[in-house]
Amino acid sequence: MARKTVSLSFTQVKYAKPKDKEYNLADGDGLMLRVRPNGAKSWLFNYYRPTPEKKRANISLGTFPPLTLEDARKIAKEYRSLLANGIDPKQHLKNIQKEQLRKKSQTLELVTRQWFELKKAKITDGYAQDIIGSLENHIFPKLGNQSIHDVNAPEVIETLQLLSKTGKLEMIKRICQRLNEVMTYATNVGIIKSNPLVGIRAAFHTPKTKNYPTLKPEELPMLIDAIYDANIRKVTRYMLLWQLHTMTRPGEAAGARWDEIDLEQKIWIIPPERMKKRREHVIPLTDQAIAILEKLREISGKFEFLFPSDIDPRRCANNSTANVALKRMGFKGRLTAHGMRALASTTLNEQGFDPDIIEAALAHVDKNQVRSAYNRAQYVERRREMMEWWSERISR
């Protein structure tokens, strides 16, 4: 008959004396207290591995103290439960450690940059830089090295409180949206089980809708005179006029390339990768717009861009160049480069032009995609008539 092991008592464990050689005190069912010659005590779990060979193995549970007899028994019980299900406790621990290391390596910044590689292929370069810049400045410094598995709503909200205190509610709105996209991506590819940041925007005030400052149609002559008479670089003057005549966004105008211009067809074709909605935009060029090109040819014809940077002519002018010029011209708070599009839209609507044609000229994507595709193909010539009227209206 097998000898039954008597369970250890707290007193036996506490007062077990060291000997010349290490020895074990059995608690039963594989749990043992090992006592070393130097007096150190540690818990071991001894078991037969659930393999055909049935080899014995030991797992170190921890030292006494701080691991108490009661806690050691709980761990041993968990291991026996694993063995009952054919699971090797030692391999189970290795798997847990491996999973912990994997999760720890999946930092918020790393996963965000994986998402960003996909995101930036669908948006303009300028917008891409705005997205990653906002996260690099306001999220990565505090949360970037944290495992994405540990990211939670309260912590993100706390991180964004500084922006909230400074009134940057629009920035908070954008960052919340971007973080939710990251978490949705992480969920879809199987990195995390669910998005922990759903609804975090509700923790902040909603930013008030703010339109770009713009002028009234009757103030157009004043603007044109200011552009022609301002003490600014020629390239900047032509950029402002080019944006006005073509009704484009600041980034689209600043990044215009010579190979996008088709003088034979009198059109400017902006490729999808440079458009906000990633859709090709065709702009009819008026005689006035072509006249600007002829003047620019003398300045930048040998370069890639119509409006090269004054620092490095191999690159295009900065998107903010037009805004800086307008501020120096006295329009701070009254007009922005983007607001010139609103000025054109208001003027043309007041003149009774077809709103659909105006929207097509502004490259606003129609919600009805079929209709939108039809419009782009059919409206070019009708838009040309409108653009010619507009160019005449803003000429000096």
Side-chain angles (χ1 to χ4, degrees):
M1 183 175 177
R3 184 163 60 93
K4 185 176 181 180
T5 302
V6 179
S7 298
L8 295 172
S9 67
F10 173 76
T11 302
Q12 286 176 298
V13 172
K14 183 176 181 181
Y15 294 106
K17 301 296 183 181
K19 299 179 181 181
D20 293 338
K21 294 182 179 181
E22 67 179 28
Y23 66 97
N24 299 327
L25 293 176
D27 185 61
D29 294 325
L31 179 62
M32 299 182 297
L33 179 72
R34 175 163 290 178
V35 183
R36 299 184 185 279
N38 62 2
K41 302 171 184 178
S42 60
W43 295 105
L44 293 177
F45 180 70
N46 182 263
Y47 67 100
Y48 287 105
R49 306 191 78 165
T51 61
E53 296 80 13
K54 296 290 183 180
K55 289 185 178 180
R56 275 194 171 276
N58 284 327
I59 301 179
S60 175
L61 308 186
T63 59
F64 174 88
L67 187 64
T68 65
L69 171 60
E70 182 181 0
D71 288 339
R73 285 172 175 167
K74 287 180 181 178
I75 297 173
K77 184 178 180 180
E78 291 174 4
Y79 288 170
R80 287 193 292 271
S81 177
L82 290 172
L83 286 167
N85 289 286
I87 301 172
D88 187 333
K90 185 170 286 189
Q91 187 59 48
H92 180 69
L93 289 175
K94 287 182 179 179
N95 292 340
I96 290 175
Q97 291 170 351
K98 185 177 180 181
E99 179 64 11
Q100 288 175 339
L101 287 173
R102 183 186 69 82
K103 287 184 175 181
K104 189 175 181 180
S105 68
Q106 291 173 325
T107 64
L108 177 61
E109 180 174 353
L110 176 66
V111 177
T112 297
R113 293 194 183 279
Q114 291 173 351
W115 161 81
F116 182 65
E117 284 301 307
L118 298 174
K119 179 72 174 181
K120 71 180 183 180
K122 306 172 187 176
I123 55 178
T124 61
D125 291 342
Y127 185 33
Q129 288 304 310
D130 178 68
I131 288 176
I132 199 63
S134 67
L135 298 173
E136 287 175 341
N137 291 332
H138 305 295
I139 296 298
F140 292 169
K142 186 173 181 181
L143 301 176
N145 290 328
Q146 184 168 308
S147 170
I148 195 170
H149 301 269
D150 298 330
V151 173
N152 58 74
E155 200 167 20
V156 172
I157 290 169
E158 181 184 353
T159 301
L160 293 173
Q161 284 300 334
L162 181 59
L163 286 174
S164 180
K165 291 176 182 178
T166 56
K168 296 181 179 178
L169 299 179
E170 186 63 38
M171 176 63 75
I172 290 175
K173 174 184 172 182
R174 288 193 227 113
I175 290 176
C176 289
Q177 177 183 345
R178 291 158 188 177
L179 286 175
N180 267 276
E181 285 192 45
V182 172
M183 291 300 177
T184 298
Y185 160 80
T187 303
N188 290 339
V189 299
I191 296 175
I192 56 177
K193 292 183 179 180
S194 61
N195 178 358
L197 303 184
V198 173
I200 59 171
R201 273 180 55 186
F204 303 95
H205 292 294
T206 301
K208 295 180 180 179
T209 303
K210 191 175 182 180
N211 295 322
Y212 293 105
T214 189
L215 302 176
K216 298 177 181 178
E218 55 267 29
E219 296 177 293
L220 257 174
M222 175 191 65
L223 171 63
I224 302 304
D225 286 342
I227 292 175
Y228 275 101
D229 298 337
N231 183 22
I232 54 178
R233 295 171 61 242
K234 280 186 178 181
V235 170
T236 302
R237 190 189 324 280
Y238 292 143
M239 186 194 305
L240 288 167
L241 292 171
W242 178 257
Q243 189 186 333
L244 260 178
H245 281 279
T246 58
M247 297 167 57
T248 46
R249 298 179 178 89
E252 295 160 5
R257 303 169 186 265
W258 284 106
D259 61 9
E260 296 172 352
I261 306 296
D262 185 339
L263 288 176
E264 185 176 342
Q265 298 292 324
K266 297 179 70 173
I267 55 175
W268 173 22
I269 305 174
I270 308 179
E273 60 269 21
R274 289 217 308 109
M275 293 299 298
K276 182 178 180 180
K277 299 295 184 179
R278 309 298 283 184
R279 303 179 70 170
E280 180 182 278
H281 186 42
V282 179
I283 303 172
L285 295 177
T286 63
D287 291 341
Q288 290 86 347
I290 291 174
I292 294 173
L293 290 175
E294 291 172 352
K295 294 175 182 177
L296 277 171
R297 184 78 68 178
E298 302 172 5
I299 301 173
S300 61
K302 62 182 178 180
F303 299 117
E304 179 181 2
F305 299 98
L306 272 66
F307 309 103
S309 166
D310 57 343
I311 299 174
D312 182 0
R314 294 171 297 180
R315 302 175 62 184
C316 67
N318 193 287
N319 292 359
S320 63
T321 300
N323 275 330
V324 172
L326 287 170
K327 288 178 182 178
R328 289 178 178 173
M329 291 157 55
F331 291 102
K332 183 178 181 180
R334 299 176 59 200
L335 177 68
T336 63
H338 214 294
M340 292 195 296
R341 284 163 53 83
L343 177 56
S345 177
T346 301
T347 304
L348 293 169
N349 274 291
E350 285 187 359
Q351 291 298 317
F353 285 97
D354 187 334
D356 282 349
I357 299 178
I358 298 172
E359 291 300 290
L362 293 168
H364 289 163
V365 178
D366 195 310
K367 292 181 181 179
N368 183 325
Q369 297 300 312
V370 175
R371 179 186 176 201
S372 180
Y374 175 82
N375 286 350
R376 289 199 312 278
Q378 298 296 319
Y379 283 3
V380 173
E381 290 309 313
R382 293 182 64 189
R383 282 167 50 204
R384 189 181 295 279
E385 295 175 13
M386 182 186 71
M387 300 295 276
E388 287 173 353
W389 182 92
W390 172 242
S391 277
E392 285 291 337
R393 179 74 175 81
I394 59 177
S395 294
R396 188 175 93 161

